[in-house]
Structure formats: structure tokens, C-alpha cells
Amino acid sequence: MSLFLIVALPFFGALLPGLMYPAGRSACAGVTFTVTLAAFVGLLTNLPSILAGEVVAARVDWMPALGLNFTLMLDGLGFFFALLILGIGLLIIAYARNYLSRNDNMGEFFTYLLLFQGAMVGIVLSDNILLLLIFWELTSLSSFLLIGFWKHLPEGRQGARMALTVTGMGGLSMVAGMLILGQIVGSYDLSVILQNRDLIQADALYVPALLLILLGCFAKSAQFPFHFWLPHAMAAPTPVSAYLHSATMVKAGIFLMARMWPVLSGTPEWFVIVTTAGLITMVLGAVIALFKHDLKALLAFSTVSHLGLITMLLGTGTAFGAMAAVFHILNHATFKAALFMSAGIIDHAAHTRDIRRLGGLRKLMPVTFVIAVLAALSMAGIPLLNGFLSKEMMLEQSYATVLFGLPWLVPALATFGSIFSAAYCFRLIGHVFFGKVRDDYPATPHDPNPGLWLPPAILVVLVVVIGVAPFVIEPFVKLVTTSVLGNAATIPYAHIKIWHGLVPALYMSIIAVFGGLIMLAGFNSALRVWERTPRPEAKVIFDKIIGSTVKLVQAVILPLHNGSFSRYAAIGAVTIFVVGFYAWTTGTVGAPTRAMQAAGPVAIAGWLMLVAATIGMVLLHRNRLLSLILIGIVGLMVSIGFVFFSAPDLAMTQFTVEVVTIILMLLALNFLPKQTPIESTVLRRCRDSAIAIMGGLATFALAYYYLLRDAKDVPISEFHLANSYKGGGGTNVVNVILVDFRGFDTYGEIIVLGIAALLIYALTQTLLNGPVRARLLNREPDQPRSGDTHPMMMVVLTRVIMPVVLMVGFYIFLRGHNEPGGGFIAGLIVSIAVVMQYMASGFVWTSARLRYPYHGVIGAGVLIAGFTGMGSWFFGKPFLTSDFTYVRVPPFEKFELATAALFDLGVFLAVLGAVMLSLESFSRLARRAHMEDSEHPMDIDPSRDDTPDTAKEGV
Amino acid sequence: MELLVASAIGILTAGGLYLVLRLRTFPVILGVSLLTYAVNVFLFASGRLTVGAPPILQDGATTYADPIPQALVLTAIVISFGMTAVVVMISLGAFLGSDDDHVDDQPDATKGELS
């Protein structure tokens, strides 16, 4: 099966449990199981190639310019991890079906689980480190959802937050490290990076990259000092703990260390950091685990300890260490998942996980007893079980490892950790299963149905088989180890055997087992010592760090970001000014290259009007109607300026937009107060004036500077001028740019415009459905109404003028390609024509004659433009490639047909719909406000029989 | 001529900034509109000022005004209408809901029905 399919299956499958939810719990679990099984089988179809030593690859270029490609690769290591993820996943799904209660939303649970599974498979199959990072973050997110699955539990929420914070921070540092690595090698493809060991290790940035990547790995795999999050994540449902926090996700960090082993390991930095962190984690985890009374907490710290063990083995940088690490990953996944599931069974049956309240379960739960004891003995390192084999290899490796120049340090600590490790395994067996049967369990323990005990039983069978006959698994372990080692080292000659002779590792093992038994015998006194020892509580420290970070951020942000828009605007203006000023003072200014053009009296007159209107607005802005008139003058002068400076298209657009904007403002002002009261202090007005003058001077200086200088390079518009007619078939270059050269931008812009109009519509709906509606209905107009709101003269005039305006719009639209005009302007002109009908004949009359809703017009416009663009796909051209031709239909003159005109039609419709929808929404508010509207176009109509109610309202 | 255009941009910006910093919604909206003019003219002027040479291709003509800033500003004008309309709608909704057209939350103001 294609690698893409293996990765994609869980993601697409994640949709199914939610859909199957109404069909029942078994259906949810069933589809999840099927999806996982399909991916599992798909993975197995690749087994022959893996056994032949090949690397299966699949590749799609996604964003080649960024070096981000969707490349997947399956080698021994990836296969091994994918097998663990999907294989244990199958067992967990079966287990979770029986574990979750009726109150839990199983569809939600399995959706999260599949998302997690997909992300995890993605990590181990990625051949691109950027892609790997995306999957990496996805595992953090999906594990957050799974840990916090029981949303009603505060521990669950806190644990989920803590896990996300720690692994998320680690992920960020990992991003940085990977980017550095990619920069060093010049490629983000893992297969390329893995070939460049010498290049990477010789680079000056090797150490920073190493530190950052290790930080991410350690955070993910709960290595010291990030070990504290994993026990808190145990608030998750037990299937999650068994899956994520023992078998798979916490091994992602380990996986990455193994993946990067060929290029990053072997240096003193790697050796010291990784070995030390692993060693400390191993010992610390084992010691804490012994004194935990919660069964899951004990297992959580033992997981931390075992992850430390694997990390230490990878840290040694030897081929034998790598092989031991690979083997222990497998063994740990089998026995620890089985133990977690057993803990879940006990919790389920006895309603408690507190070891102090348990004991004597051997007789009550014989099946669980066998499963848990075998798994625990394997964890303790008892011969004939798989844990013994890899632990033996670990001890052998530690015997040969010299850290800080002290040959005894590593073996001593490893043995010390193993003593505690054996002790907590024995405690688990002894204090939970042996001892007297009690009569005060919260619930009577009993063996569960096979659905719960079969999955761990299958794992325990593996534990025993590997433990008894290690030669079965040896070729596979060596295969995986080969792909871990890459070119950096050769596979060790050593065999995995139960009996190695009287080697130091054996003595260390014996010390560990007997030491563990002695620890258990003296457990009560050891516990007393432990409880008296003061020790830092990780959660308290974590909460303190978070708390102080939040305080610091608040201290920095709140003064700037206090919710006051005026303050933001002022800070923004000043900041832009300061940055611009800095750029200005540090840059160089060339001499003017353009002569100043002489200004005629017309230009000066226009300028005077514009300046007078602007100053008038500032001084008289308290009178709102007056300032609206003044801004109209400003807009008019700007339009005239555009005409003057050879931009007829702009002038037409500005002019028509000006009309609709003023209408819009008037509609709004109808509701708003007509005066702005004097509120701000003189000081504040001085401050604002200072900011305003500063900003004005800055833009003046900038504009004046560049108006007198030519562009540094030849403007790209040369290209557009040269190709407008040849390539675009139009002589109006501005229009050709809009609908052809930069058609995609225009397409985006009409979509934005449409969204803005829909937003206005939605806001209006919300207002009209809310409490505002009553207020609007009861509102008394604050100004006298006109007695003749729809005068006959105006109605007649607008009716007569309507076809003329439509004709003009049509004409402007058609000639747009070659003369000033086009879809934008035509759309605005036609909307003005329609607005005139609303104004003259009234809302009801016009709406009743409206054939098409404006939403539909916007949609049609966007679709027409979009389909025009897609049309070019049928000719094998990129989106929005235009074409044109000239046709002659007698008796007409030769005329041009261009696909760009079709696109322009889309623009026209979108603009028309957007403008009309906005204005219509506003007037709907207004219509609610006063009396019901007349269905007649004219208040006084001689042709009508009814006598108008002249005393209705008004003056 | 250049001086006129540059100073017009500066004055529009200054007026716009001053109005944006006012306390009620309506002047702020007008201020944003003035800033829009300023920005549009500023962008347009980046094509330098050319009199009497619109970018309509004609036989015999050699100089044209720069069409790119024109195309950019054309869409900017239309989009800014949409944005203005949204802002006006939001401020109108806020006023209708709370009978208060202050831009910032008023600590002492009597709360409206919607708040």
C-alpha cells in the first residue's frame, strides 16, 4: 500500500467515529478498528521490501520553494515504530471499547485517537523534517485533547494544559533546531540530512542545533528536567495512558533521537548531555515510582525511568547501545502497555487504584494476576521474559561507559536504578496481588470479560515468546538497528541471548533483583524516610513559573493594550512614525532627478478647496452633517485630481464610490446623534494635534521626496504597457491589469468585498433579531420627517432616467477593455441607478420588484469570475489565463471577444451585489424605525383612487 | 505641482489622524475615510505625476502615466468602501445596542441592554 494511504487513512478515518456515533458504541469502535487494521495491513504489505533492506519512498512536491515537500520514507526504524503504533493501537481500540463507560462520548474519543494515530504514523514516516514538525505538533495537540478527554475532571484539564505547555515549548525549540539543521545541509529532506554527518558536526551551529533538538526530544519523552508532566497526564482515561504515555507518543522523542543518531551522535556534547539526562531520569524515575501509591502514578514514573534508560543507551553513541535501545523500546512497549491495561482493569473492577487499599487480588482476579505478574516480572528483569534481555544489554553497555572520567559512575548508577526498578515491580506484585483478601474494597474485584483482558494477554504472550526464544526477534532488531545506525556505524556482532556466561552484567542483574527484594522487605521504613525528606514538588514549581510569566506578560501588555481604541491608534501612529524616522535618518537621500512641474490656477484652486474642506472638517467635526458635506468636497477634489493626473478610471471609481459612501453615511447618521459633544480636555486635544501634525509632516516629506525622484529601477509597468495590447488584447492598461495581468488579485478582492457585504447583512440580521429591534420600532425620529417622502417629481425622474443609467453602465462596462471603464465602475454606476429607485419610490415598492437577492448576485459574480479562471484549465493553462479573438458578424464592425470580459462580468456582478446588499441592510434598519412603509411609489398619486392620509406624520 | 500633491497628502493625513483620535465613533469613521484618501493618493503618486497621458494605448503616444498604481488604487477604493461600510455598521450596532457612541468603553456609563 502506498505510504500516503497509510498516513492518510487514520486522518480520514477520524471522521467516521463521529458519523457512526448514532449507530452505537460498537459501531464507533468497529470503524476505528477497521481503519487501523487497514493501515496496519497496508504497512505489512511493505514488509518484503523492508526485509530486503530497501527504503520505500513516496514523494509529492508541496511547497518546493520553501523546501517543504510531502515526502514519506519507510525504512526499518520507521517500519518498527509504525508497527508499534498501529499494532498496539489495534489492541488499545479493542480495550477502550470495553473500558469506556456509557457516559463517555465514544465517537469523540475515537476521533481524537485516530487523529493522534495519524499524526504519530506521520512522524515516523516523514522524510521531510518540516513535515515531521507538523506531525510532531499534531501529536501534542491530539494528546492534549485525549488527556483532557474527561473534561469534568480538573486534574484532567490541568494535566492536559501542562502536557501541552511542556511539549509545545519543546516543539518550538525543535522547530528552531530543525531549521538550523536544514540551513547547514541546504535541504530539509531527512534522507539528505542523514548523509551529511561530517558537514553537520563540523558546523559552528552544530551545538545550538543539537541543544534545541534535544530540548524538544527531552520535553516530549519526559526526560529530566521535563519528567514532571507525564505523571500528571495520567489523568487521562487508561487506554490513553497505555497508548500515548507508555507505548507511542512519549517514544516520539526517543524516535527522533534514534532517527538523528547517525548525524548527531558520536560527539562529546551528545554523549555527555544525552547520557547524563538519561541516567538521571532513569534513577530519579525509579526512586519516585517506588513510593507512589497510585497504581498509574507508579507506572508513569516507571515509564519515565525506562525512557531514561533508552535515552542513556542512545547517548552512549555505540552501535551496541543503539541495538539495546531498539530492543528495549520494543520490550518496554509490550510489557508497559500490558501493565497499564491491567491497572485499568483493576481500577475498573475494584474502583480504586490506590495500592494501599488493594491486596490479595490474586485469588479474586486470577486472569489479571497472571497477565500483570508476567509483565511486571519482565519489567523487573527476570530471566525468560523479554525485559531481562534488554536490561542485561543495558547493564553490559553501562559497564563499558565512562562518564566524566569515572569508570564506576555509570555502572553504579545503573545498578542503583535497577534495584529500585526491581523493587517497584515487586511492590506492584506483592502489594496488589498477594497478601490477605480484604473486605473493604470500594467494589468487589472480579475478572473482567475477555474484551478487557485479551489485549494485554496478547502482549504478554509476546513478552514470554521473546523472553524464551530471543532468536526469533533478533533479525528484526538487527534490521531496525541497521537503519538507526545508517552510515555512522556497523551492526554489532553480538547476539541476543539469555545466557552470556558469567559476565559483569549478570552480577549487576543479580544485585538488582536481590536488592529489589530487600527494598521491598524494608519498604515501610524506607517509605517513612521518603516521606520525611523534603523534596521539590514539580507541579508547584511549574504553576509558579506559569504564574510569574503571566504576571510579567500582563505588566508589559496591559499598559499598551488596555482595550482603548484611541490609545491603540495613538501608539500605532507614533510607533510607525518612530520606525520611519529611524529608517529616514539611517538611509541616504539622493539628489532630486525630476523637475518640479508648474501648477496652473486650476490645480491651485482644487488644492485650496481640498485643504479648506479638510481643515474645516477638523474644526467643525462636531456638526456631523456639515462634516459629511465637507468630506464630500474632499472626495470630489480627489476625483478631480485623478482626472488631472491622467487616471480617468480612478476618477470614475472614486466619484461613484463617493456617492454610495455618502448615502451610506447618511443612512447611519439618521440613527446617530447629530452633534458630537465636547469631552476631551485641552491637553488631550493638544496631544492629538501634535501626533496628527507629526504624521502629516512625515507623509508630506515622504511623498515630496519620492515625487521629485525617479524610481531606482525600471518600473514593472513598462512590461504591462508593452504587453497590454499584444498579450491582453486591450488598450486600457489599467483594466487589462485588473482583469488579466493581476486577475487573481482582483478575484481575491471581489471575494473580500462580498464577504464585507455579507458581514454587514449578518450584523443587521443580528441587530434586528435582538433587543435592538424593539428599540428601533419604538424609536421616535429626532428630526421632523418630510411630509412628502416620495415626491412625484423624483419618482418620475428616476423612472425615466433608469434605462439611461443602465445603458451608460452597459456602455462603460463594454468599453472598459479599451477605454476608461470596466466592471468595477459599471457595477458602481448600476448600483447608483438602483439606489435611486429605493430613494425615490421607497423600500417596499423597490424590493417587491427585485427579482434576484443580492447575495445571489454576489455569489454569481464570484462564481462567474472563478469559472472563467478555471476554464483555462481545460486548455492546460494555469488559472485565469486569458484569451481573446476578433470576430466580425455582418453587418457590424469587427469586434473583440475576450475571456477577460467574462471575468469582468463577474467583477461587475460582485461589486453591484456587494454595494446593494450593504446599502439595503442599512435601509432595513431605517425601515424598522418608523411607520410601515407604503407599498405605493408616491405618497400623492393622482391616478390612485384612495385618498392619502395626509395627517400621517410630518410637519 | 508636486508640492501641492505632497502637501495635500500631508494635510489629509494630519486631519485623518486627528479625527481618528476623537472619542466618538462618527468622527473616527470620518477620520478613517480621510486617511483612506491620503493613502490612496499616496499610492497613486508613487507612479509619479503625469499630466495628459492616461495609460490608454494610442498610436503615436510614447509616454503614459504609470498604470500599476492606478490599478492598485482602483481596487483599494472599492475595498475601502466595503470596509467603511462594515465599520459604520459595527458602530451603528454598538450605538443602537447601548445608546452610547463612545469609541472606548466608558467606566461609569450606564450599561445598555446588550452589554
Side-chain angles (χ1 to χ4, degrees):
Chain A
M1 191 188 282
S2 158
L3 298 185
F4 287 124
L5 212 53
I6 298 174
V7 176
L9 260 175
F11 282 112
F12 288 119
L15 296 170
L16 293 176
L19 293 176
M20 296 302 282
Y21 182 62
R25 290 142 43 87
S26 294
C28 282
V31 285
T32 314
F33 192 85
T34 315
V35 166
T36 311
L37 189 67
F40 186 71
V41 172
L43 183 73
L44 287 183
T45 57
N46 287 302
L47 183 60
S49 323
I50 300 297
L51 288 180
E54 293 168 19
V55 175
V56 185
R59 177 185 186 92
V60 170
D61 283 351
W62 184 11
M63 291 185 229
L66 288 178
L68 174 55
N69 297 319
F70 210 101
T71 48
L72 299 177
M73 147 181 110
L74 184 69
D75 62 352
L77 181 65
F79 183 84
F80 171 54
F81 267 89
L83 199 70
L84 280 182
I85 294 157
L86 293 170
I88 295 185
L90 284 172
L91 300 177
I92 293 289
I93 291 162
Y95 178 82
R97 159 67 187 91
N98 295 290
Y99 182 85
L100 291 180
S101 79
R102 286 189 182 281
N103 300 329
D104 296 323
N105 184 337
M106 212 173 251
E108 188 187 346
F109 180 82
F110 281 123
T111 298
Y112 295 161
L113 200 74
L114 279 175
L115 282 179
F116 166 76
Q117 198 181 60
M120 206 58 217
V121 174
I123 288 183
V124 300
L125 295 191
S126 290
D127 184 25
N128 185 292
I129 51 174
L130 300 178
L131 186 66
L132 189 147
L133 288 171
I134 293 172
F135 286 123
W136 185 274
E137 297 298 337
L138 276 179
T139 59
S140 293
L141 288 178
S142 51
S143 99
F144 170 78
L145 293 171
L146 282 168
I147 298 171
F149 178 71
W150 282 330
K151 301 178 191 72
H152 54 279
L153 295 182
E155 301 86 44
R157 298 197 298 267
Q158 287 163 10
R161 273 205 302 272
M162 187 191 274
L164 186 67
T165 313
V166 176
T167 56
M169 295 289 278
L172 286 180
S173 106
M174 172 84 73
V175 171
M178 289 296 197
L179 289 179
I180 296 178
L181 206 60
Q183 288 297 317
I184 294 175
V185 180
S187 165
Y188 291 107
D189 281 347
L190 205 50
S191 37
V192 179
I193 291 174
L194 291 183
Q195 302 298 323
N196 284 295
R197 177 190 171 98
D198 297 336
L199 182 69
I200 292 169
Q201 298 197 348
D203 201 283
L205 287 174
Y206 164 72
V207 176
L210 177 73
L211 286 176
L212 289 167
I213 292 176
L214 285 181
L215 215 57
C217 291
F218 287 178
K220 195 82 161 182
S221 285
Q223 295 300 298
F224 179 83
F226 304 110
H227 59 283
F228 56 89
W229 72 264
L230 186 59
H232 287 285
M234 290 299 145
T238 302
V240 174
S241 310
Y243 192 32
L244 274 68
H245 304 121
S246 74
T248 56
M249 188 186 85
V250 287
K251 298 235 171 76
I254 304 273
F255 166 79
L256 208 74
M257 284 191 261
R259 182 97 280 178
M260 292 294 173
W261 197 89
V263 287
L264 293 183
S265 77
T267 59
E269 294 89 352
W270 166 278
F271 174 65
V272 171
I273 298 169
V274 180
T275 312
T276 313
L279 210 54
I280 294 175
T281 315
M282 180 173 93
V283 175
L284 197 67
V287 174
I288 300 176
L290 179 61
F291 300 106
K292 284 288 166 188
H293 301 304
D294 180 1
L295 210 48
K296 272 177 83 176
L298 187 154
L299 290 175
F301 276 105
S302 91
T303 305
V304 169
S305 166
H306 279 268
L307 292 170
L309 189 160
I310 301 169
T311 305
M312 185 201 83
L313 285 172
L314 287 170
T316 59
T318 60
F320 185 77
M323 184 161 96
V326 167
F327 192 34
H328 197 70
I329 290 170
L330 173 68
N331 295 338
H332 178 252
T334 52
F335 65 66
K336 189 53 69 62
L339 277 173
F340 263 112
M341 289 196 242
S342 310
I345 293 174
I346 293 168
D347 190 14
H348 221 247
H351 289 204
T352 181
R353 299 194 308 246
D354 193 329
I355 296 176
R356 289 167 302 185
R357 302 196 61 187
L358 294 165
L361 295 186
R362 174 171 53 101
K363 300 201 179 84
L364 297 170
M365 307 172 76
V367 179
T368 316
F369 166 69
V370 173
I371 294 169
V373 164
L374 282 175
L377 287 178
S378 173
M379 181 157 78
I382 302 296
L384 296 183
L385 297 167
N386 63 358
F388 168 75
L389 299 165
S390 45
K391 196 159 220 173
E392 193 88 327
M393 286 165 80
M394 181 276 283
L395 291 171
E396 191 180 333
Q397 176 62 43
S398 73
Y399 189 73
T401 305
V402 182
L403 188 64
F404 303 126
L406 303 169
W408 54 267
L409 183 65
V410 180
L413 281 176
T415 316
F416 182 72
S418 299
I419 292 175
F420 276 88
S421 175
Y424 65 67
C425 296
F426 296 145
R427 177 172 180 227
L428 193 154
I429 300 170
H431 289 188
V432 173
F433 290 102
F434 286 91
K436 278 195 299 241
V437 175
R438 302 166 65 143
D439 48 14
D440 61 343
Y441 304 115
T444 319
H446 56 87
D447 265 327
N449 61 25
L452 275 179
W453 65 253
L454 257 181
I458 293 171
L459 288 171
V460 167
V461 168
L462 279 176
V463 166
V464 177
V465 168
I466 297 174
V468 174
F471 52 86
V472 179
I473 201 75
E474 189 184 304
F476 184 66
V477 171
K478 287 204 166 170
L479 181 82
V480 176
T481 311
T482 317
S483 62
V484 172
L485 299 179
N487 305 334
T490 49
I491 187 84
Y493 176 71
H495 287 289
I496 303 176
K497 280 189 301 196
I498 300 173
W499 178 251
H500 283 276
L502 294 170
V503 289
L506 184 69
Y507 296 122
M508 289 155 86
S509 261
I510 294 170
I511 295 173
V513 171
F514 284 99
L517 285 174
I518 293 167
M519 286 293 295
L520 186 65
F523 177 72
N524 285 333
S525 41
L527 183 63
R528 274 195 293 279
V529 176
W530 172 257
E531 278 173 348
R532 248 180 272 130
T533 325
R535 47 186 192 277
E537 179 60 45
K539 186 169 186 315
V540 177
I541 299 172
F542 176 80
D543 286 345
K544 269 196 190 135
I545 292 175
I546 296 290
S548 48
T549 313
V550 168
K551 277 213 188 81
L552 179 72
V553 170
Q554 279 174 340
V556 175
I557 298 293
L558 281 186
L560 293 173
H561 200 103
N562 65 346
S564 158
F565 170 79
S566 306
R567 181 175 288 201
Y568 299 168
I571 291 173
V574 172
T575 310
I576 293 170
F577 177 78
V578 168
V579 173
F581 188 76
Y582 175 76
W584 180 270
T585 48
T586 49
T588 51
V589 183
T593 54
R594 290 171 78 99
M596 181 107 76
Q597 299 175 48
V602 178
I604 293 175
W607 181 86
L608 277 177
M609 275 197 266
L610 185 130
V611 171
T614 313
I615 294 173
M617 269 184 74
V618 171
L619 295 179
L620 304 171
H621 75 268
R622 299 191 187 286
N623 183 342
R624 293 181 173 183
L625 197 61
L626 184 62
S627 51
L628 207 51
I629 295 170
L630 288 174
I631 203 168
I633 297 177
V634 174
L636 206 61
M637 287 307 121
V638 171
S639 317
I640 291 173
F642 285 143
V643 179
F644 191 74
F645 293 113
S646 319
D649 287 280
L650 282 192
M652 290 162 90
T653 316
Q654 182 73 66
F655 192 76
T656 40
V657 163
E658 208 51 52
V659 174
V660 286
T661 309
I662 297 292
I663 292 174
L664 183 112
M665 298 270 207
L666 278 171
L667 282 170
L669 194 56
N670 183 20
F671 299 98
L672 292 170
K674 309 294 175 284
Q675 292 286 330
T676 307
I678 301 175
E679 284 173 319
S680 46
T681 58
V682 177
L683 193 68
R684 170 155 183 159
R685 272 176 273 169
C686 289
R687 184 202 76 176
D688 294 349
S689 312
I691 293 176
I693 290 171
M694 189 181 75
L697 281 176
T699 44
F700 162 71
L702 200 57
Y704 190 60
Y705 166 77
Y706 74 56
L707 279 174
L708 288 182
R709 284 157 183 85
D710 280 309
K712 201 163 154 289
D713 301 308
V714 178
I716 51 170
S717 40
E718 296 298 322
F719 167 84
H720 294 107
L721 286 167
N723 288 289
S724 172
Y725 188 70
K726 271 189 291 176
T731 51
N732 181 2
V733 187
V734 175
N735 183 269
V736 175
I737 290 175
L738 283 177
V739 299
D740 196 334
F741 292 126
R742 311 292 304 164
F744 198 61
D745 291 358
T746 311
Y747 186 52
E749 273 154 42
I750 59 173
I751 291 175
V752 171
L753 194 64
I755 291 172
L758 290 176
L759 181 61
I760 290 166
Y761 176 78
L763 283 170
T764 315
Q765 274 315 95
T766 318
L767 283 178
L768 288 180
N769 291 335
V772 171
R773 182 166 178 271
R775 186 180 292 201
L776 278 174
L777 286 173
N778 295 326
R779 180 172 172 276
E780 286 293 321
D782 55 355
Q783 283 190 322
R785 304 281 106 176
S786 157
D788 189 10
T789 38
H790 304 302
M792 181 168 64
M793 285 295 281
M794 194 165 160
V795 174
V796 173
L797 194 66
T798 51
R799 294 284 169 82
V800 173
I801 215 171
M802 177 81 174
V804 180
V805 180
L806 289 181
M807 195 66 202
V808 171
F810 187 62
Y811 169 70
I812 291 278
F813 173 78
L814 276 190
R815 71 171 205 163
H817 217 42
N818 293 314
E819 297 287 325
F824 275 109
I825 302 164
L828 288 163
I829 290 175
V830 172
S831 45
I832 291 174
V834 182
V835 168
M836 284 197 307
Q837 303 304 315
Y838 277 102
M839 289 166 73
S841 302
F843 190 88
V844 172
W845 184 89
T846 318
S847 301
R849 277 147 191 83
L850 187 73
R851 253 352 131 61
Y852 310 102
Y854 296 123
H855 315 68
V857 177
I858 300 176
V862 172
L863 282 181
I864 289 177
F867 284 131
T868 309
M870 285 178 212
S872 47
W873 286 345
F874 293 103
F875 302 94
K877 296 276 173 54
F879 187 65
L880 273 176
T881 311
S882 72
D883 196 16
F884 61 94
T885 181
Y886 294 92
V887 275
R888 186 191 155 89
V889 184
F892 299 108
E893 294 251 345
K894 187 175 83 163
F895 62 93
E896 181 192 0
L897 278 180
T899 60
L902 211 55
F903 180 79
D904 218 9
L905 178 67
V907 173
F908 163 79
L909 287 175
V911 171
L912 172 65
V915 172
M916 285 319 299
L917 190 62
S918 322
L919 291 178
E920 194 222 18
S921 300
F922 274 92
S923 41
R924 270 166 12 109
L925 281 183
R927 203 169 74 82
R928 291 276 180 187
H930 357 276
M931 309 307 288
E932 74 279 12
D933 220 336
S934 165
E935 61 185 297
H936 303 294
M938 289 170 265
D939 293 341
I940 304 164
D941 184 352
S943 67
R944 218 158 63 214
D945 290 337
D946 61 333
T947 41
D949 182 11
T950 42
K952 202 159 53 178
E953 54 169 314
V955 198
Chain B
M1 201 97 85
E2 277 77 4
L3 188 65
L4 290 186
V5 173
S7 59
I9 293 172
I11 289 166
L12 283 172
T13 312
L17 274 177
Y18 182 78
L19 289 180
V20 161
L21 296 174
R22 295 305 88 207
L23 298 174
R24 302 284 181 144
T25 51
F26 199 76
V28 171
I29 292 167
L30 291 181
V32 173
S33 303
L34 278 188
L35 279 181
T36 310
Y37 290 129
V39 170
N40 284 344
V41 175
F42 184 86
L43 281 180
F44 169 73
S46 69
R48 310 302 185 272
L49 303 179
T50 318
V51 180
I56 313 280
L57 300 178
Q58 280 165 332
D59 293 331
T62 49
T63 53
Y64 297 103
D66 194 335
I68 297 249
Q70 296 196 14
L72 294 179
V73 172
L74 199 154
T75 51
I77 292 170
V78 180
I79 293 276
S80 63
F81 162 75
M83 292 304 121
T84 309
V86 171
V87 174
V88 170
M89 189 72 227
I90 290 171
S91 66
L92 188 57
F95 173 72
L96 290 175
S98 62
D99 238 345
D100 177 19
D101 67 342
H102 277 97
V103 170
D104 299 332
D105 284 342
Q106 295 300 302
D108 309 325
T110 45
K111 296 284 176 190
E113 286 170 42
L114 279 184
S115 54

